[in-house]
Amino acid sequence: MASGMAVALAGGGAAAYRFSVNGGAGAAVTSGDSTGIPLQLRGNLPERYLALLAFDSEGPRGGLRSLVNRVHASAEPNASVGFALGAALFGPRASLPRQLRAMPHFAGDLLEPAMSHGDLLVHVVGNKAAAIRKTVERIRNTDSAHWTIRWHIDGSRPDNRVEDGRSLARNPFHFTEGFGNPDTERESLDRALIPSDQNEPQWAVGGSYQVVRIIRLATDLWDKDSVGEQERIVGRQRDGRWLDGTPVDEQPNFAADPTGRLTPLDSHVRLAAPDRRNPPPIVRRSYSYDKGNGDKGIIFSCFQRDLTQGFEAAQKRLEGESMAKYLLTTGGGYFFVPPHGDGWIDALTYSG
């Protein structure tokens, strides 16, 4: 199994973004003010459970506002819903976010069309699995003349917690991940949300580009390796400590290990973020999935202001990593998370 997997997380400078709760230009959002922040990026700790449902529009793309309203009405008390937009949702006269397009194939991908892309991505999160299941069931039972569900996947975050301001979880490879994320919500927003000076449509200011990658992990093959070998492939110890002895909350000096004696040159973290002082400008919020029959892995999800400088730059560096034979990306897509509110609906050519 071969594919790249961008595990290194956020970086970048401050963003000057201003938006209001209806998605238009407005007052600046400050740390602690979650009313104007997209659901997907609120707080430092993601909810424990997730469901993603990708919708396709059939024929005329009418009824978008009606569908959004019905999805909101489907949410159980302990579940929240958010939305992200695929490139195909926009009509020829719509003001398209300038980097939004269908996710391309990367080295080692085997994308299943039935689990890839989509016009509208519904994001359901909560800390109670039963609430997520009931919300998904109600969404699935929602009648719509123009919309069908293209794909659906459920995820969870084992050992979901915050340490030193960073959200951490354990992945199916038994490693704790999330140490590369920012340690404050303000820094996460600065790295993920589009500022007003980025030459994007006005309605998109305060939104974020989202990459979703459904990555199947060869856990049986992985578990045949010793823990020491696994740690050399990842470039960290299972609990997050660095292989060269650098404390987990500090940045290692890879330049002092030019031959990769301590941290192999083809290890995951070293390729993904070769300069730990300037990590990739993305914020990661990923979940584990288990479909049964040995199909388990990661719902990789990251947010950024710029796809080229964020996910795509890290993905390119990961080509040829030693972890590649354990990974297979089978689905996902590129999406745009609009600013909080429903102003984005008015910005589309097709609205209900």
Side-chain angles (χ1 to χ4, degrees):
M1 306 175 82
S3 175
M5 177 182 177
V7 168
L9 305 178
Y17 56 88
R18 298 175 63 86
F19 59 98
S20 65
V21 295
N22 68 357
V29 173
T30 59
S31 182
D33 175 13
S34 65
T35 58
I37 300 170
L39 170 81
Q40 294 90 328
L41 286 162
R42 293 180 189 172
N44 269 18
L45 183 64
E47 287 84 349
R48 185 176 177 184
Y49 299 102
L50 163 84
L52 295 178
L53 299 96
F55 281 80
D56 277 344
S57 174
E58 295 184 343
R61 297 173 189 243
L64 175 59
R65 189 182 301 274
S66 177
L67 175 65
V68 168
N69 290 339
R70 291 198 296 271
V71 168
H72 276 299
S74 298
E76 289 287 309
N78 292 303
S80 300
V81 297
F83 301 90
L85 319 175
L89 182 66
F90 293 80
R93 294 171 299 179
S95 185
L96 180 75
R98 63 185 179 89
Q99 293 190 21
L100 186 60
R101 61 193 185 279
M103 184 178 71
H105 282 71
F106 294 93
D109 286 3
L110 189 61
L111 299 180
E112 301 173 9
M115 287 297 297
S116 304
H117 315 302
D119 295 346
L120 181 71
L121 186 69
V122 176
H123 180 105
V124 185
V125 292
N127 288 316
K128 294 187 177 181
I132 300 299
R133 288 195 300 268
K134 290 180 180 178
T135 299
V136 169
E137 181 180 0
R138 294 178 66 181
I139 292 174
R140 281 189 166 278
N141 290 333
T142 296
D143 293 328
S144 175
H146 302 294
W147 296 88
T148 59
I149 295 177
R150 181 181 181 93
W151 55 266
H152 160 226
I153 193 168
D154 298 310
S156 65
R157 289 175 56 88
D159 297 334
N160 193 32
R161 66 192 188 278
V162 171
E163 290 185 7
D164 297 324
R166 292 179 171 85
S167 60
L168 306 178
R170 175 173 43 83
N171 65 33
F173 277 170
H174 323 295
F175 278 72
T176 298
E177 58 180 50
F179 293 103
N181 264 337
D183 58 7
T184 66
E185 183 182 18
R186 165 52 58 185
E187 188 175 3
S188 292
L189 299 179
D190 285 348
R191 294 176 179 182
L193 298 187
I194 289 177
S196 58
D197 60 355
Q198 193 171 302
N199 194 31
E200 293 282 3
Q202 179 62 35
W203 71 267
V205 173
S208 183
Y209 288 101
Q210 179 181 11
V211 176
V212 177
R213 304 270 285 172
I214 301 172
I215 305 172
R216 184 170 180 174
L217 304 182
T219 52
D220 289 344
L221 180 63
W222 178 262
D223 288 340
K224 292 179 180 178
D225 292 337
S226 68
V227 173
E229 177 62 16
Q230 293 173 355
E231 291 176 340
R232 289 183 62 79
I233 291 171
V234 173
R236 283 184 183 262
Q237 298 183 38
R238 280 189 170 184
D239 61 4
R241 289 179 293 169
W242 296 102
L243 299 186
D244 65 359
T246 301
V248 67
D249 58 347
E250 297 181 14
Q251 303 302 327
N253 182 10
F254 289 148
D257 181 26
T259 64
R261 182 179 65 86
L262 298 176
T263 305
L265 299 179
D266 62 352
S267 64
H268 184 80
V269 298
R270 187 154 184 170
L271 286 175
D275 181 359
R276 301 303 302 185
R277 294 166 298 180
N278 295 288
I282 65 178
V283 176
R284 177 178 172 175
R285 295 201 162 186
S286 297
Y287 287 74
S288 299
Y289 77 83
D290 187 349
K291 295 183 179 180
N293 298 319
D295 186 354
K296 62 176 61 175
I298 291 288
I299 307 169
F300 172 84
S301 180
C302 71
F303 303 85
Q304 58 259 286
R305 303 186 308 183
D306 188 296
L307 284 169
T308 302
Q309 297 178 17
F311 167 76
E312 291 183 350
Q315 188 73 14
K316 183 175 178 61
R317 289 193 297 269
L318 285 168
E319 292 181 5
E321 65 168 328
S322 57
M323 191 187 288
K325 68 179 182 179
Y326 303 92
L327 313 174
L328 181 65
T329 299
T330 61
Y334 282 179
F335 300 94
F336 186 81
V337 177
H340 177 76
D342 60 3
W344 57 273
I345 300 178
D346 298 326
L348 303 183
T349 298
Y350 302 102
S351 61

Coordinates of all heavy atoms in Angstrom, one line a residue, residues 191-263:
R191 N -3.8 30.6 11.2 CA -3.2 29.8 10.2 C -4.2 29.2 9.2 O -3.8 28.8 8.1 CB -2.4 28.6 10.9 CG -1.2 29.1 11.7 CD -0.6 28.0 12.4 NE 0.6 28.4 13.2 CZ 1.4 27.7 13.9 NH1 1.1 26.4 13.9 NH2 2.4 28.2 14.5
A192 N -5.4 29.1 9.6 CA -6.4 28.4 8.8 C -7.4 29.4 8.1 O -7.8 29.0 7.0 CB -7.3 27.5 9.7
L193 N -7.7 30.5 8.7 CA -8.8 31.3 8.1 C -8.2 32.3 7.1 O -7.2 32.9 7.3 CB -9.5 32.1 9.2 CG -10.3 31.2 10.2 CD1 -11.1 32.1 11.1 CD2 -11.1 30.2 9.5
I194 N -9.0 32.5 6.0 CA -8.6 33.4 4.9 C -8.7 34.9 5.3 O -9.8 35.3 5.8 CB -9.4 33.1 3.7 CG1 -9.0 31.7 3.1 CG2 -9.3 34.2 2.6 CD1 -9.8 31.3 1.9
P195 N -7.6 35.6 5.1 CA -7.7 37.0 5.5 C -8.3 37.9 4.4 O -8.5 37.4 3.3 CB -6.2 37.4 5.7 CG -5.5 36.5 4.8 CD -6.3 35.2 4.7
S196 N -8.5 39.1 4.7 CA -9.2 40.0 3.7 C -8.2 40.4 2.6 O -8.7 41.0 1.6 CB -9.7 41.3 4.4 OG -8.6 41.9 5.1
D197 N -6.9 40.2 2.7 CA -6.0 40.7 1.7 C -5.5 39.6 0.9 O -4.4 39.7 0.3 CB -4.8 41.4 2.4 CG -4.0 40.6 3.4 OD1 -4.5 39.4 3.6 OD2 -3.0 41.0 3.9
Q198 N -6.2 38.5 0.7 CA -5.7 37.3 0.0 C -6.3 37.2 -1.4 O -6.1 36.1 -2.0 CB -6.0 36.0 0.8 CG -5.2 34.8 0.3 CD -5.4 33.6 1.3 OE1 -5.0 33.7 2.4 NE2 -5.9 32.5 0.7
N199 N -6.9 38.2 -1.9 CA -7.5 38.2 -3.2 C -8.5 37.1 -3.4 O -8.6 36.5 -4.5 CB -6.4 38.1 -4.3 CG -6.8 38.4 -5.7 OD1 -7.7 39.2 -5.8 ND2 -6.3 37.7 -6.7
E200 N -9.3 36.8 -2.4 CA -10.4 35.9 -2.5 C -11.7 36.7 -2.6 O -11.8 37.8 -2.3 CB -10.5 35.0 -1.3 CG -9.3 34.0 -1.1 CD -9.4 32.8 -2.0 OE1 -10.4 32.7 -2.8 OE2 -8.6 31.9 -2.0
P201 N -12.8 36.0 -3.1 CA -14.1 36.7 -3.1 C -14.4 37.2 -1.7 O -14.1 36.6 -0.7 CB -15.1 35.6 -3.5 CG -14.2 34.6 -4.3 CD -12.9 34.6 -3.6
Q202 N -15.1 38.3 -1.6 CA -15.4 39.0 -0.3 C -16.2 38.0 0.6 O -15.9 38.0 1.8 CB -16.2 40.2 -0.5 CG -16.6 41.0 0.7 CD -15.4 41.4 1.5 OE1 -14.4 41.8 1.0 NE2 -15.5 41.4 2.9
W203 N -17.1 37.2 0.0 CA -17.9 36.4 0.9 C -17.1 35.2 1.5 O -17.5 34.7 2.5 CB -19.0 35.7 0.0 CG -18.6 34.7 -1.0 CD1 -18.2 34.9 -2.3 CD2 -18.3 33.3 -0.7 NE1 -17.8 33.7 -2.9 CE2 -17.9 32.7 -1.9 CE3 -18.5 32.5 0.4 CZ2 -17.6 31.4 -2.0 CZ3 -18.2 31.1 0.3 CH2 -17.7 30.6 -0.9
A204 N -15.9 34.9 0.9 CA -15.1 33.8 1.4 C -14.1 34.2 2.5 O -13.5 33.3 3.1 CB -14.3 33.2 0.2
V205 N -14.0 35.5 2.8 CA -13.1 35.9 3.9 C -13.6 35.4 5.2 O -14.8 35.5 5.6 CB -13.0 37.5 3.9 CG1 -12.2 37.9 5.2 CG2 -12.4 38.0 2.7
G206 N -12.7 34.7 6.0 CA -13.1 34.1 7.2 C -13.4 32.6 7.0 O -13.6 31.9 8.0
G207 N -13.3 32.1 5.8 CA -13.5 30.7 5.5 C -12.1 30.0 5.4 O -11.1 30.6 5.8
S208 N -12.1 28.7 5.0 CA -10.9 28.0 5.0 C -11.0 26.9 4.0 O -12.0 26.3 3.8 CB -10.7 27.3 6.4 OG -9.4 26.6 6.5
Y209 N -9.8 26.6 3.4 CA -9.7 25.4 2.5 C -9.5 24.1 3.3 O -8.6 24.1 4.2 CB -8.6 25.6 1.5 CG -8.8 26.6 0.5 CD1 -8.2 27.9 0.6 CD2 -9.5 26.3 -0.7 CE1 -8.4 28.8 -0.4 CE2 -9.8 27.3 -1.7 CZ -9.2 28.5 -1.5 OH -9.4 29.5 -2.5
Q210 N -10.4 23.1 3.0 CA -10.3 21.9 3.8 C -9.9 20.8 2.8 O -10.4 20.6 1.7 CB -11.6 21.5 4.4 CG -11.6 20.2 5.2 CD -13.0 19.8 5.8 OE1 -14.0 20.5 5.5 NE2 -13.0 18.8 6.6
V211 N -9.0 19.9 3.3 CA -8.6 18.7 2.5 C -9.0 17.5 3.4 O -8.7 17.5 4.6 CB -7.0 18.7 2.3 CG1 -6.7 17.3 1.7 CG2 -6.6 19.8 1.5
V212 N -9.7 16.6 2.8 CA -10.1 15.4 3.4 C -9.5 14.2 2.6 O -9.6 14.2 1.4 CB -11.7 15.2 3.4 CG1 -12.0 13.8 4.0 CG2 -12.3 16.3 4.2
R213 N -8.8 13.3 3.4 CA -8.2 12.2 2.8 C -8.5 11.0 3.6 O -8.2 10.9 4.8 CB -6.6 12.3 2.8 CG -6.1 13.6 2.1 CD -5.9 13.4 0.7 NE -4.6 12.6 0.4 CZ -4.3 12.2 -0.7 NH1 -5.0 12.4 -1.8 NH2 -3.1 11.5 -0.9
I214 N -9.2 10.0 3.0 CA -9.6 8.8 3.7 C -8.4 7.8 3.4 O -8.2 7.3 2.3 CB -10.9 8.2 3.1 CG1 -12.0 9.3 3.4 CG2 -11.3 6.9 3.8 CD1 -13.4 8.9 2.7
I215 N -7.7 7.5 4.4 CA -6.4 6.8 4.3 C -6.5 5.4 5.0 O -6.6 5.4 6.2 CB -5.2 7.6 4.8 CG1 -5.2 8.9 4.2 CG2 -3.9 6.8 4.6 CD1 -4.1 9.9 4.8
R216 N -6.5 4.4 4.2 CA -6.6 3.0 4.8 C -5.2 2.6 5.3 O -4.2 2.8 4.6 CB -7.1 2.0 3.8 CG -7.2 0.6 4.4 CD -8.0 -0.3 3.4 NE -8.1 -1.7 3.9 CZ -8.8 -2.6 3.4 NH1 -9.4 -2.4 2.2 NH2 -8.9 -3.8 3.9
L217 N -5.1 2.1 6.5 CA -3.8 1.8 7.1 C -3.7 0.2 7.1 O -4.6 -0.5 7.5 CB -3.7 2.3 8.5 CG -3.9 3.8 8.7 CD1 -3.7 4.2 10.2 CD2 -3.0 4.6 7.8
A218 N -2.5 -0.2 6.7 CA -2.2 -1.7 6.8 C -1.8 -2.1 8.2 O -0.6 -2.3 8.4 CB -1.1 -2.0 5.7
T219 N -2.7 -2.1 9.1 CA -2.4 -2.3 10.5 C -1.8 -3.7 10.8 O -0.9 -3.8 11.6 CB -3.7 -2.1 11.4 OG1 -4.7 -2.9 10.9 CG2 -4.1 -0.6 11.3
D220 N -2.2 -4.7 10.1 CA -1.7 -6.1 10.3 C -0.2 -6.1 9.9 O 0.6 -6.6 10.6 CB -2.4 -7.1 9.4 CG -3.8 -7.4 10.0 OD1 -4.1 -7.0 11.1 OD2 -4.6 -7.9 9.2
L221 N 0.1 -5.5 8.8 CA 1.5 -5.4 8.3 C 2.3 -4.5 9.3 O 3.5 -4.9 9.7 CB 1.6 -4.8 6.9 CG 3.0 -4.6 6.3 CD1 3.7 -6.0 6.1 CD2 2.9 -3.9 5.0
W222 N 1.8 -3.4 9.7 CA 2.4 -2.5 10.6 C 2.7 -3.2 12.0 O 3.8 -3.0 12.5 CB 1.6 -1.3 10.9 CG 2.1 -0.2 11.8 CD1 1.8 -0.1 13.1 CD2 3.0 0.8 11.5 NE1 2.4 1.0 13.7 CE2 3.2 1.5 12.7 CE3 3.7 1.2 10.4 CZ2 4.0 2.6 12.8 CZ3 4.6 2.3 10.4 CH2 4.7 3.0 11.6
D223 N 1.8 -3.9 12.5 CA 2.0 -4.6 13.8 C 3.0 -5.7 13.8 O 3.4 -6.1 14.9 CB 0.6 -5.1 14.3 CG -0.3 -4.0 14.7 OD1 0.2 -2.9 15.0 OD2 -1.5 -4.2 14.8
K224 N 3.5 -6.1 12.6 CA 4.5 -7.1 12.5 C 5.9 -6.5 12.8 O 6.9 -7.2 13.1 CB 4.5 -7.8 11.2 CG 3.3 -8.7 11.0 CD 3.3 -9.3 9.6 CE 2.1 -10.2 9.4 NZ 2.0 -10.8 8.0
D225 N 6.0 -5.2 12.6 CA 7.3 -4.5 12.9 C 7.4 -4.3 14.4 O 6.5 -4.1 15.1 CB 7.3 -3.1 12.2 CG 7.3 -3.2 10.7 OD1 7.8 -4.3 10.2 OD2 6.9 -2.3 10.0
S226 N 8.7 -4.2 14.8 CA 9.0 -3.9 16.2 C 8.6 -2.4 16.5 O 8.5 -1.6 15.6 CB 10.4 -4.1 16.5 OG 11.2 -3.1 15.8
V227 N 8.4 -2.1 17.8 CA 8.0 -0.7 18.2 C 9.2 0.2 17.7 O 8.9 1.3 17.3 CB 7.8 -0.6 19.7 CG1 7.6 0.8 20.1 CG2 6.5 -1.4 20.0
G228 N 10.4 -0.3 17.9 CA 11.5 0.6 17.5 C 11.5 0.9 16.1 O 11.8 2.0 15.7
E229 N 11.2 -0.1 15.2 CA 11.2 0.2 13.8 C 10.0 1.1 13.4 O 10.2 2.0 12.6 CB 11.0 -1.2 13.0 CG 10.9 -1.0 11.5 CD 12.1 -0.4 10.9 OE1 13.2 -0.3 11.5 OE2 12.0 0.0 9.7
Q230 N 8.9 0.9 14.1 CA 7.8 1.8 13.9 C 8.1 3.3 14.2 O 7.8 4.2 13.5 CB 6.6 1.4 14.7 CG 6.0 0.1 14.3 CD 4.9 -0.4 15.2 OE1 4.7 0.2 16.3 NE2 4.2 -1.5 14.9
E231 N 8.8 3.4 15.3 CA 9.2 4.8 15.7 C 10.2 5.4 14.8 O 10.2 6.6 14.5 CB 9.8 4.7 17.1 CG 8.8 4.4 18.2 CD 9.3 4.2 19.6 OE1 10.5 4.0 19.7 OE2 8.5 4.3 20.6
R232 N 11.1 4.6 14.2 CA 12.0 5.2 13.2 C 11.3 5.5 11.9 O 11.7 6.5 11.2 CB 13.1 4.2 12.9 CG 14.1 4.0 14.1 CD 15.3 3.1 13.7 NE 16.1 3.6 12.6 CZ 17.0 4.5 12.7 NH1 17.3 5.1 13.8 NH2 17.7 4.8 11.6
I233 N 10.2 4.8 11.5 CA 9.4 5.1 10.3 C 8.7 6.4 10.6 O 8.6 7.3 9.7 CB 8.5 4.0 10.0 CG1 9.3 2.7 9.5 CG2 7.5 4.4 9.0 CD1 8.4 1.5 9.4
V234 N 8.1 6.6 11.7 CA 7.3 7.8 12.1 C 8.3 9.0 12.3 O 8.0 10.1 11.9 CB 6.4 7.6 13.3 CG1 5.8 8.9 13.7 CG2 5.4 6.5 12.9
G235 N 9.4 8.7 13.1 CA 10.3 9.8 13.4 C 10.0 10.3 14.8 O 10.7 11.3 15.3
R236 N 9.2 9.7 15.6 CA 8.9 10.0 17.0 C 8.6 8.7 17.7 O 8.4 7.7 17.1 CB 7.6 10.8 17.1 CG 7.7 12.3 16.8 CD 6.3 13.0 17.1 NE 6.2 14.4 16.7 CZ 6.4 15.4 17.6 NH1 6.7 15.1 18.9 NH2 6.2 16.6 17.3
Q237 N 8.7 8.8 19.0 CA 8.3 7.7 19.8 C 6.7 7.6 19.9 O 6.1 8.6 19.5 CB 8.9 7.8 21.2 CG 10.4 7.7 21.2 CD 11.0 7.7 22.6 OE1 10.4 7.1 23.6 NE2 12.1 8.4 22.8
R238 N 6.2 6.6 20.3 CA 4.7 6.4 20.3 C 4.1 7.5 21.1 O 2.9 8.0 20.8 CB 4.3 5.1 20.9 CG 4.5 3.9 19.9 CD 3.8 2.6 20.4 NE 3.8 1.6 19.4 CZ 3.2 0.4 19.6 NH1 2.6 0.1 20.8 NH2 3.1 -0.5 18.7
D239 N 4.7 8.0 22.2 CA 4.1 9.0 23.1 C 4.4 10.4 22.6 O 4.0 11.4 23.2 CB 4.5 8.8 24.5 CG 6.0 9.0 24.7 OD1 6.7 9.3 23.7 OD2 6.5 8.7 25.8
G240 N 5.1 10.5 21.5 CA 5.4 11.8 20.9 C 6.7 12.4 21.1 O 7.1 13.3 20.5
R241 N 7.5 11.7 22.0 CA 8.9 12.2 22.3 C 9.7 12.0 21.0 O 9.6 11.1 20.2 CB 9.5 11.4 23.4 CG 8.9 11.8 24.8 CD 9.5 11.0 25.9 NE 9.2 9.6 25.7 CZ 9.8 8.6 26.4 NH1 10.8 8.9 27.3 NH2 9.4 7.3 26.2
W242 N 10.7 12.9 20.9 CA 11.6 12.9 19.7 C 12.7 11.9 19.9 O 13.1 11.5 21.0 CB 12.3 14.3 19.5 CG 11.3 15.4 19.2 CD1 10.8 16.3 20.1 CD2 10.6 15.6 18.0 NE1 9.9 17.1 19.4 CE2 9.8 16.7 18.1 CE3 10.7 15.0 16.7 CZ2 9.0 17.2 17.1 CZ3 9.9 15.5 15.7 CH2 9.1 16.6 15.9
L243 N 13.1 11.3 18.8 CA 14.1 10.2 18.8 C 15.5 10.7 19.2 O 16.3 9.9 19.7 CB 14.2 9.6 17.4 CG 12.9 8.9 16.8 CD1 13.2 8.2 15.5 CD2 12.3 8.0 17.8
D244 N 15.8 12.0 19.1 CA 17.1 12.5 19.5 C 17.1 12.9 20.9 O 18.1 13.5 21.4 CB 17.5 13.6 18.6 CG 16.7 14.9 18.7 OD1 15.7 14.8 19.4 OD2 16.9 15.8 18.0
G245 N 16.0 12.7 21.7 CA 16.0 13.1 23.1 C 15.4 14.5 23.3 O 15.3 14.8 24.5
T246 N 15.1 15.2 22.3 CA 14.5 16.5 22.5 C 13.2 16.4 23.2 O 12.4 15.5 22.8 CB 14.3 17.2 21.2 OG1 15.6 17.4 20.5 CG2 13.7 18.6 21.4
P247 N 12.9 17.2 24.2 CA 11.6 17.0 24.9 C 10.4 17.2 23.9 O 10.6 17.9 22.9 CB 11.6 18.2 25.9 CG 13.1 18.4 26.2 CD 13.7 18.1 24.9
V248 N 9.3 16.6 24.2 CA 8.1 16.6 23.3 C 7.6 18.0 23.0 O 7.1 18.3 21.9 CB 7.0 15.8 23.8 CG1 6.4 16.4 25.1 CG2 5.9 15.5 22.8
D249 N 7.8 19.0 23.9 CA 7.3 20.3 23.7 C 8.3 21.3 23.1 O 8.1 22.5 23.1 CB 6.8 20.9 25.1 CG 7.8 20.9 26.2 OD1 8.9 20.3 26.0 OD2 7.6 21.6 27.2
E250 N 9.5 20.7 22.7 CA 10.5 21.5 22.0 C 10.7 21.0 20.6 O 10.3 20.0 20.2 CB 11.8 21.5 22.8 CG 11.7 22.1 24.2 CD 13.0 22.0 25.0 OE1 14.0 21.8 24.3 OE2 13.0 22.2 26.2
Q251 N 11.4 21.8 19.8 CA 11.6 21.5 18.4 C 13.0 20.9 18.3 O 14.0 21.4 18.7 CB 11.5 22.7 17.5 CG 10.2 23.4 17.6 CD 9.0 22.5 17.3 OE1 9.1 21.6 16.4 NE2 7.9 22.7 17.9
P252 N 13.1 19.7 17.6 CA 14.5 19.1 17.4 C 15.3 19.8 16.4 O 14.7 20.5 15.5 CB 14.1 17.7 16.9 CG 12.8 17.9 16.2 CD 12.1 18.9 17.0
N253 N 16.6 19.7 16.4 CA 17.5 20.3 15.5 C 17.9 19.3 14.5 O 18.9 18.6 14.6 CB 18.7 20.9 16.2 CG 19.6 21.6 15.2 OD1 19.3 21.8 14.1 ND2 20.8 22.0 15.7
F254 N 17.1 19.1 13.4 CA 17.4 18.1 12.4 C 18.7 18.4 11.7 O 19.4 17.5 11.2 CB 16.3 18.0 11.4 CG 15.0 17.4 11.9 CD1 13.8 17.8 11.4 CD2 15.0 16.4 12.8 CE1 12.6 17.2 11.8 CE2 13.9 15.8 13.3 CZ 12.6 16.2 12.8
A255 N 19.1 19.7 11.6 CA 20.4 20.0 11.0 C 21.6 19.4 11.7 O 22.6 19.2 11.1 CB 20.5 21.5 10.9
A256 N 21.4 19.1 13.0 CA 22.5 18.5 13.7 C 22.6 17.0 13.5 O 23.5 16.3 14.0 CB 22.3 18.8 15.2
D257 N 21.7 16.5 12.7 CA 21.6 15.0 12.4 C 21.5 14.9 10.9 O 20.6 14.3 10.3 CB 20.4 14.4 13.1 CG 20.3 12.9 12.9 OD1 21.3 12.2 12.6 OD2 19.2 12.4 12.9
P258 N 22.5 15.4 10.1 CA 22.4 15.5 8.7 C 22.3 14.1 8.0 O 21.8 14.1 6.9 CB 23.7 16.2 8.3 CG 24.7 15.9 9.4 CD 23.8 15.9 10.6
T259 N 22.8 13.1 8.5 CA 22.8 11.8 7.9 C 21.6 10.9 8.3 O 21.4 9.8 7.8 CB 24.1 11.0 8.2 OG1 24.2 10.7 9.6 CG2 25.3 11.8 7.7
G260 N 20.8 11.4 9.3 CA 19.6 10.7 9.7 C 19.9 9.5 10.6 O 19.2 8.6 10.7
R261 N 21.0 9.6 11.4 CA 21.4 8.6 12.3 C 20.4 8.4 13.4 O 20.0 7.3 13.8 CB 22.8 8.8 12.9 CG 23.3 7.7 13.8 CD 24.7 8.1 14.3 NE 24.7 9.3 15.1 CZ 24.4 9.3 16.5 NH1 24.1 8.1 17.1 NH2 24.5 10.4 17.1
L262 N 19.9 9.5 13.9 CA 18.9 9.5 15.0 C 17.5 9.5 14.5 O 16.7 8.7 14.9 CB 19.2 10.7 16.0 CG 20.5 10.7 16.7 CD1 20.7 12.0 17.5 CD2 20.7 9.5 17.6
T263 N 17.2 10.4 13.6 CA 15.9 10.5 13.0 C 16.1 10.3 11.5 O 16.6 11.2 10.8 CB 15.2 11.9 13.2 OG1 15.2 12.2 14.6 CG2 13.8 11.9 12.7

